[in-house]
Amino acid sequence: MPLFNKQTPLEQGELRDAIEAFSAKAGFQLDNVFVIDGSRRSTKANAYFAGLGAKKRIVLYDTLVKDLEVEELVAVLAHEIGHYKKKHTIKGIIAALCQTGIMLSVLSLFIANPLLSAALGAGIHSFHLALISFALLYSPLSTLMGLGMNSFSRKNEYEADRFAAHHFNAAPLGSALKKLSVNNLSNLSPHPAYVFFHYSHPPLLQRLRAMTTI
Ligand SMILES: [Zn+2]
């Protein structure tokens, strides 16, 4: 990331004070807060943490800082801190490692099997044909795992929203999410089946509803 964008420490002021106050209250050890010039390449607004150690740096996109009020920005951070506190990051890394492990073990079964080359019409075993048959046969499995990952991710989003609502405030998070979905031109009423197959985040309306029932 630092190769492609410029990060500058967030200047002293209301926003920095509010972020530091909330981090201290939530027991989140903050190293520093940076603003990144994301507007150079896209209109997408975002916020994320960097670093896996005890102290984290928070990185805010300049687009996010420009579009959101101080309270809304802290609410978005509270959501992100929720992901961290609920260990979603580490669970995500473990799940991705398992997926890679499954892929490599299936690959190892396929790559030496002469039947697959024969099925594709070759007289002798070919590494390249085995690779092609692996790609063809692995895609349904990969789709299934993707569905699992998406539903895990949607569950985590609700959990992080709940964390932000409990430890900060649901109202500014709701208004921040509305602004972000306008910026991202999100579909406000996607079909539930489409959400099940493709969405890593629940649609805005469902997130807002879930927050009001907390
Ligand atoms: Zn999230």
Side-chain angles (χ1 to χ4, degrees):
M1 192 58 100
L3 281 178
F4 301 107
N5 288 90
K6 215 176 93 200
Q7 297 185 358
T8 39
L10 177 66
E11 57 195 40
Q12 298 295 333
E14 194 192 349
L15 177 59
R16 201 186 177 96
D17 292 345
I19 290 173
E20 285 174 352
F22 178 75
S23 304
K25 201 184 106 193
F28 184 77
Q29 287 203 341
L30 192 58
D31 181 29
N32 204 345
V33 189
F34 289 88
V35 178
I36 193 170
D37 58 345
S39 56
R40 252 174 64 191
R41 285 193 177 74
S42 100
T43 55
K44 275 240 152 74
N46 208 347
Y48 65 91
F49 298 133
L52 285 169
K55 280 195 158 186
K56 305 267 175 297
R57 56 163 61 182
I58 287 176
V59 183
L60 303 170
Y61 275 53
D62 54 353
T63 35
L64 196 72
V65 177
K66 185 170 71 59
D67 293 342
L68 301 187
E69 306 293 327
V70 169
E71 265 223 306
E72 294 167 339
L73 272 164
V74 177
V76 169
L77 281 181
H79 170 98
E80 295 301 327
I81 290 176
H83 279 308
Y84 174 73
K85 288 276 177 186
K86 301 279 174 191
K87 303 204 168 23
H88 297 159
T89 327
I90 195 79
K91 285 181 197 163
I93 293 173
I94 292 170
L97 278 175
C98 290
Q99 267 185 305
T100 309
I102 291 170
M103 187 193 76
L104 291 176
S105 56
V106 174
L107 178 67
S108 74
L109 291 176
F110 276 41
I111 214 72
N113 193 331
L115 289 174
L116 294 164
S117 303
L120 288 178
I124 50 162
H125 171 63
S126 149
F127 170 84
H128 306 90
L129 284 177
L131 209 55
I132 289 172
S133 56
F134 166 76
L136 292 173
L137 295 172
Y138 185 69
S139 70
L141 189 59
S142 145
T143 305
L144 273 181
M145 289 195 290
L147 287 178
M149 287 294 270
N150 271 349
S151 110
F152 172 67
S153 162
R154 288 193 303 267
K155 181 186 83 63
N156 290 347
E157 291 309 317
Y158 284 125
E159 247 177 53
D161 283 349
R162 223 175 298 139
F163 179 94
H166 274 154
H167 293 84
F168 189 65
N169 193 349
L173 181 59
S175 64
L177 290 176
K178 283 181 204 166
K179 284 186 185 175
L180 292 175
S181 77
V182 171
N183 283 353
N184 297 336
L185 305 176
S186 313
N187 181 353
L188 291 180
S189 51
H191 191 278
Y194 194 84
V195 173
F196 175 76
F197 280 101
H198 299 288
Y199 274 43
S200 64
H201 285 56
L204 175 66
L205 266 178
Q206 271 161 270
R207 286 178 76 175
L208 293 176
R209 262 185 216 137
M211 271 190 270
T212 51
T213 54
I214 285 167

